[in-house]
Amino acid sequence: MKGLAFIKILILLSMHTIASGKINVKNYGARGDGKTDDTKAIQLAINAASPLIKTIIYFPAGIYNIASYTITSNYLENYSLLFHSNLDFEGDRKKTIIRVADHIFDKSDTNANAHLFYGRQTKNISFSNLTIDLNGANNLVPENIIKNHSAIFTAHGSNYYIHDITIKNCSGNDMLIIMGEGSNLVIENCKFLNGGNFVGTSIPNKNQYDYSFIYTEWDNTLVKNNFIKQQNIDIGLGNYSGGIELHGSNSSAINNVIEGCWPGIYISSSTRGLLNNVLVKNNQLINCITGISFWLKYPMKNISIDNNVIKLTHARASKLNICAGILVPNGNEKEYSNVKANAAPIFNLRIIGNTIEADTMKSLSYAMILHSLHQSVIQDNMITGMNCGGIMLAGSKWGIDSLDVYNNTFNDFRPNNDKHAVAGYFILTDNYSAKVKDAPGFQNVIFRNNNLLRSKNNERYIAKNRGNGVFFGVFIGLPSKMIDNIRLKNNIYTDATEKTYIVKTD
């Protein structure tokens, strides 16, 4: 009889939590003791909530151990906790930790992986006041095995608000995966620590070949006021480690601090065609191999990169010998493809008011490497400490048309030791157009009112550490028919010998 009375009390308590719009996971058997597998108990709590009524799933202070998962028929989409619409997952701030158990994903089996929270076609979801520890140090990826176990995975949804949470130590492909046709995602005031090659241990997660902290395909995404960091950049930068990856139109990354990433921010083509209206503003990208990188599968339009601080560091992997503040990769190529990320042009790219700096560098450093720009502006940027290129413009299948580069300041360029590198404040090359009939090439490109400066300290540094590379003020290597399309007007040089060097490539 006492057992029956206890069950009645539990049922009444559960009914009360549902009626009040708040469900305590401990009322469904979760222990939060860091030892018990709480997966099934938390799932019972989620299942008790109606998908039609907004309900808080509350995690009191404790360490919730997640040690089991469900295998699905969707490739790399197993899950531990399945959620539906209209749920708020809420903890007791730093006192609430949801932790993946040891050694549940490190088996040499593709099925041995699962997203912690998993939902499809869901709406009105929030996560707040939680710490999620993905425990990558004890779930390292085996050789030749793809692993995909994020903290939150969702596809085809809307109205997500992820705020005031900490997620750390992800050994899977991405920490947050927001996929498919969706809209209205806000991620703000969160902390993301360690993922990809570095997962909180001195042993690298070396078999994870690609990684981003935040991957989102949804339109109307706002990623704001977050802190993203690899706490050991020497290990973290041994492989790709993206910070924020934006694939949706009408999306913004604003006021984030991103440290130790490669790149800090991806601006990537939408899965649905034209990517339109993306703003990257007031971010601090610190110790990144690449600050902002583009992935061009389809055309982009109305992209603004404004007032960011980008501090470059050298590559830790032998497969890369350059770093760049802003990168549109693989111009001057014979092949234009999704794999090379150079398969489309960009219209109305505005790069304004950014500060781009480089450290002492063990790589060739460029402030910008760009191609396929149309009706675009590069204005009022401060570029300091590069050892190879200020702004490098490359030819492509789409050419460059109507580009205005003005009021930029270039300070304290360093020498490099690469005898084959062409170095300068401005570098223009086009290997594509010289070989292709009627190629668009360079048209209506002007460099005006730029300050190309060397300080006295920089002159002394160069005299003492002069490398083997050759430095030009402006290097133009183009077919002769394009050279008249390049205008240089009212640029200020410190050294009269550092002006324009032209090589006709016909």
Side-chain angles (χ1 to χ4, degrees):
M1 293 294 293
K2 289 183 178 179
L4 182 60
F6 175 77
I7 291 172
K8 287 182 178 179
I9 292 171
L10 183 62
I11 291 172
L12 289 171
L13 182 60
S14 300
M15 290 175 64
H16 172 73
T17 59
I18 295 172
S20 66
K22 187 172 184 177
I23 292 177
N24 188 325
V25 297
K26 288 193 172 182
N27 292 340
Y28 287 81
R31 301 292 295 274
D33 59 9
K35 299 177 182 179
T36 306
D37 182 1
D38 286 330
T39 310
K40 290 183 179 179
I42 295 170
Q43 189 64 62
L44 285 173
I46 293 171
N47 294 346
S50 168
L52 303 178
I53 301 172
K54 199 65 181 288
T55 305
I56 296 171
I57 305 298
Y58 175 60
F59 295 79
I63 300 174
Y64 297 86
N65 194 40
I66 305 298
S68 54
Y69 57 89
T70 298
I71 296 176
T72 76
S73 59
N74 295 328
Y75 179 62
L76 294 177
E77 290 187 24
N78 303 332
Y79 64 83
S80 291
L81 299 169
L82 177 66
F83 62 86
H84 53 70
S85 295
N86 290 304
L87 294 175
D88 291 344
F89 295 96
E90 183 179 305
D92 192 9
R93 300 188 182 277
K94 294 181 180 180
K95 296 178 182 179
T96 298
I97 300 171
I98 302 173
R99 185 178 186 272
V100 171
D102 293 350
H103 306 300
I104 65 169
F105 298 147
D106 59 3
K107 302 171 186 176
S108 295
D109 174 7
T110 298
N111 281 333
N113 74 101
H115 305 295
L116 183 55
F117 289 94
Y118 176 91
R120 276 184 165 271
Q121 297 181 331
T122 53
K123 61 182 180 180
N124 303 328
I125 301 294
S126 74
F127 291 84
S128 63
N129 299 319
L130 296 166
T131 293
I132 297 175
D133 185 354
L134 295 170
N135 192 18
N138 293 300
N139 289 283
L140 298 176
V141 175
E143 188 174 3
N144 298 321
I145 298 293
I146 296 175
K147 294 289 185 176
N148 199 14
H149 39 89
S150 64
I152 303 168
F153 174 99
T154 189
H156 312 300
S158 63
N159 301 329
Y160 272 55
Y161 185 30
I162 300 171
H163 66 100
D164 298 289
I165 66 173
T166 295
I167 308 177
K168 60 185 180 179
N169 303 328
C170 178
S171 61
N173 267 30
D174 301 290
M175 191 170 273
L176 296 182
I177 304 178
I178 314 296
M179 295 186 66
E181 295 187 13
S183 63
N184 299 328
L185 166 69
V186 176
I187 302 171
E188 68 175 341
N189 298 327
C190 296
K191 183 180 289 186
F192 303 95
L193 302 173
N194 307 331
N197 207 50
F198 179 69
V199 290
T201 176
S202 60
I203 302 172
N205 185 42
K206 62 182 180 181
N207 296 313
Q208 185 56 271
Y209 68 95
D210 193 10
Y211 171 79
S212 288
F213 282 93
I214 299 172
Y215 174 98
T216 171
E217 297 178 355
W218 286 9
D219 293 339
N220 303 302
T221 288
L222 172 62
V223 185
K224 182 179 180 182
N225 294 335
N226 300 286
F227 182 81
I228 298 172
K229 183 175 182 177
Q230 294 283 17
Q231 292 179 305
N232 185 322
I233 64 169
D234 288 325
I235 296 176
L237 293 178
N239 212 329
Y240 292 109
S241 175
I244 299 169
E245 193 163 342
L246 299 174
H247 291 255
S249 292
N250 305 308
S251 294
S252 301
I254 301 174
N255 294 336
N256 301 285
V257 177
I258 302 172
E259 185 167 353
C261 287
W262 178 14
I265 297 175
Y266 267 121
I267 302 175
S268 302
S269 286
S270 169
T271 56
R272 296 176 292 282
L274 176 70
L275 183 74
N276 196 16
N277 298 328
V278 173
L279 173 64
V280 176
K281 184 175 181 179
N282 291 342
N283 300 284
Q284 295 184 53
L285 310 178
I286 302 167
N287 288 329
C288 292
I289 295 175
T290 306
I292 299 167
S293 185
F294 286 75
W295 192 277
L296 287 167
K297 182 177 180 180
Y298 303 110
M300 296 184 184
K301 185 177 181 181
N302 302 329
I303 311 296
S304 294
I305 301 174
D306 297 345
N307 295 299
N308 302 281
V309 174
I310 302 173
K311 297 185 177 182
L312 299 175
T313 189
H314 64 275
R316 269 59 170 186
S318 59
K319 58 188 171 184
L320 185 72
N321 67 347
I322 67 169
C323 61
I326 301 172
L327 173 65
V328 181
N330 296 316
N332 281 333
E333 292 278 341
K334 294 180 181 178
E335 177 188 348
Y336 293 88
S337 67
N338 297 337
V339 174
K340 288 186 174 291
N342 62 353
I346 303 172
F347 298 89
N348 192 24
L349 172 63
R350 299 174 62 82
I351 302 174
I352 300 176
N354 302 280
T355 297
I356 305 176
E357 302 175 1
D359 64 14
T360 54
M361 307 313 300
K362 298 178 183 178
S363 305
L364 296 178
S365 55
Y366 298 80
M368 304 178 200
I369 301 176
L370 310 169
H371 68 85
S372 303
L373 307 184
H374 296 257
Q375 295 86 48
S376 297
V377 173
I378 302 172
Q379 172 190 347
D380 294 327
N381 301 284
M382 174 68 73
I383 296 168
T384 302
M386 303 302 132
N387 68 9
C388 198
I391 298 174
M392 180 176 180
L393 302 179
S396 75
K397 182 177 180 179
W398 297 274
I400 293 178
D401 190 356
S402 301
L403 172 63
D404 194 354
V405 181
Y406 70 100
N407 286 351
N408 302 283
T409 298
F410 299 77
N411 273 319
D412 294 350
F413 272 45
R414 298 185 174 98
N416 68 72
N417 289 304
D418 191 326
K419 295 179 180 179
H420 305 289
V422 175
Y425 299 111
F426 304 129
I427 303 170
L428 287 70
T429 61
D430 190 344
N431 298 332
Y432 175 85
S433 297
K435 302 172 184 177
V436 177
K437 184 179 179 181
D438 298 325
F442 283 70
Q443 301 180 54
N444 304 311
V445 177
I446 183 169
F447 298 85
R448 60 188 176 94
N449 301 103
N450 298 285
N451 295 312
L452 313 178
L453 305 175
R454 290 190 186 279
S455 69
K456 291 182 179 180
N457 287 336
N458 184 234
E459 289 291 354
R460 287 193 288 268
Y461 174 88
I462 289 178
K464 184 178 178 181
N465 300 282
R466 186 169 297 279
N468 295 315
V470 178
F471 186 88
F472 303 96
V474 179
F475 180 90
I476 299 175
L478 298 176
S480 55
K481 65 181 179 181
M482 292 184 200
I483 291 173
D484 289 341
N485 293 324
I486 310 300
R487 288 185 292 155
L488 299 163
K489 183 178 179 181
N490 297 332
N491 299 294
I492 301 172
Y493 298 83
T494 301
D495 188 334
T497 66
E498 293 179 348
K499 289 199 174 179
T500 304
Y501 185 81
I502 298 175
V503 176
K504 296 181 180 179
T505 59
D506 302 81

